[in-house]
Amino acid sequence: EVTLPSSLDEICPYCFFQCRKLRKITIPGSVRTIGTYSFSYCSLTEVAIPSSVVAIEKAAFSYCTSLLKVTLSSKLKEISSHLFNKCNSLVEIEIPSSVLSINQSSFEQCVSLRKVTIPNSVTSIEAKAFAGCQLLDEITIPESVKQLNSECFSGCKALKSVVIPDSVTEIGDHAFDGCLNLKEITIDPTNKAFGKEIFKNCPIEQL
């Protein structure tokens, strides 16, 4: 267990990288930035990011396979790439309404993730953002989203239906490839740029 000092304003890149016995961290309200890979491969079970934090950099909590619960700062502008990649125990995540972009592979292979709340502020869901989230059985894509990039929901085997709002103008290659239970899709194809094999390996019954 580590309690960081209240004078700290940045957690440096790789600060606790591969501290495999670290189970609990207390981040003070003075911290503004959490650096890349700073807690990657730790054994954290719960993390509360204070509202002072405006940026969490690439892969900061990747491979934290024991991580069950995360509370994110209300001032984040993006979910950085690979941020929670392969956090195998994470079940639920609420993305704050300050976030504009969910970046590449941010939740890739979070195999226990069942519930995601995406706010109306998000405009793009980047490549492989939720790829391989095998237990994610429902997702609400808000009207603010304009881009669904390549493989963003590929391999979400439990996903049964999806509504793609009219705001989405671009859907990347293989966006829903391998969603083996995806049978119902609501989409207006007008004014949309479609990539290749968006719904490959999906048993679509209603479109």
Side-chain angles (χ1 to χ4, degrees):
E1 180 177 345
V2 174
T3 300
L4 298 173
S6 58
S7 58
L8 192 69
D9 64 357
E10 179 184 3
I11 299 173
C12 295
Y14 294 89
C15 188
F16 296 97
F17 181 70
Q18 290 188 349
C19 289
R20 297 183 188 274
K21 293 186 178 181
L22 181 60
R23 296 184 178 277
K24 185 176 181 180
I25 186 78
T26 302
I27 301 172
S30 56
V31 172
R32 291 177 55 80
T33 304
I34 298 174
T36 183
Y37 291 97
S38 51
F39 295 100
S40 187
Y41 291 95
C42 289
S43 296
L44 298 169
T45 58
E46 185 174 339
V47 174
I49 309 296
S51 58
S52 59
V53 173
V54 296
I56 307 175
E57 296 175 354
K58 177 182 176 179
F61 295 95
S62 61
Y63 292 88
C64 288
T65 57
S66 299
L67 190 60
L68 296 167
K69 183 179 180 182
V70 177
T71 304
L72 293 172
S73 166
S74 58
K75 293 180 181 176
L76 292 177
K77 295 298 183 185
E78 64 176 8
I79 305 298
S80 63
S81 64
H82 300 85
L83 183 56
F84 297 105
N85 185 18
K86 294 198 175 181
C87 289
N88 296 340
S89 300
L90 190 63
V91 174
E92 180 178 350
I93 189 77
E94 182 173 351
I95 296 169
S97 58
S98 56
V99 169
L100 304 176
S101 176
I102 301 172
N103 290 343
Q104 181 177 350
S105 301
S106 48
F107 297 96
E108 185 179 2
Q109 295 296 329
C110 289
V111 294
S112 297
L113 191 64
R114 292 177 178 271
K115 184 178 180 182
V116 177
T117 304
I118 301 176
N120 267 316
S121 56
V122 171
T123 59
S124 67
I125 300 175
E126 299 295 334
K128 296 186 177 182
F130 296 97
C133 293
Q134 299 179 17
L135 298 184
L136 188 64
D137 58 4
E138 62 176 297
I139 189 75
T140 300
I141 301 170
E143 291 282 351
S144 56
V145 173
K146 297 177 181 179
Q147 290 180 311
L148 296 174
N149 286 289
S150 60
E151 300 180 59
C152 56
F153 292 102
S154 63
C156 293
K157 296 177 181 179
L159 197 62
K160 296 181 178 69
S161 65
V162 66
V163 177
I164 298 175
D166 292 345
S167 60
V168 173
T169 57
E170 183 178 337
I171 305 176
D173 298 348
H174 301 274
F176 294 89
D177 190 349
C179 294
L180 302 181
N181 284 291
L182 184 57
K183 296 181 179 180
E184 184 176 339
I185 299 161
T186 303
I187 184 173
D188 181 355
T190 309
N191 299 322
K192 285 180 173 52
F194 291 103
K196 294 179 291 186
E197 299 181 317
I198 296 169
F199 300 111
K200 185 181 179 181
N201 298 313
C202 298
I204 299 170
E205 294 177 356
Q206 184 174 338
L207 181 62

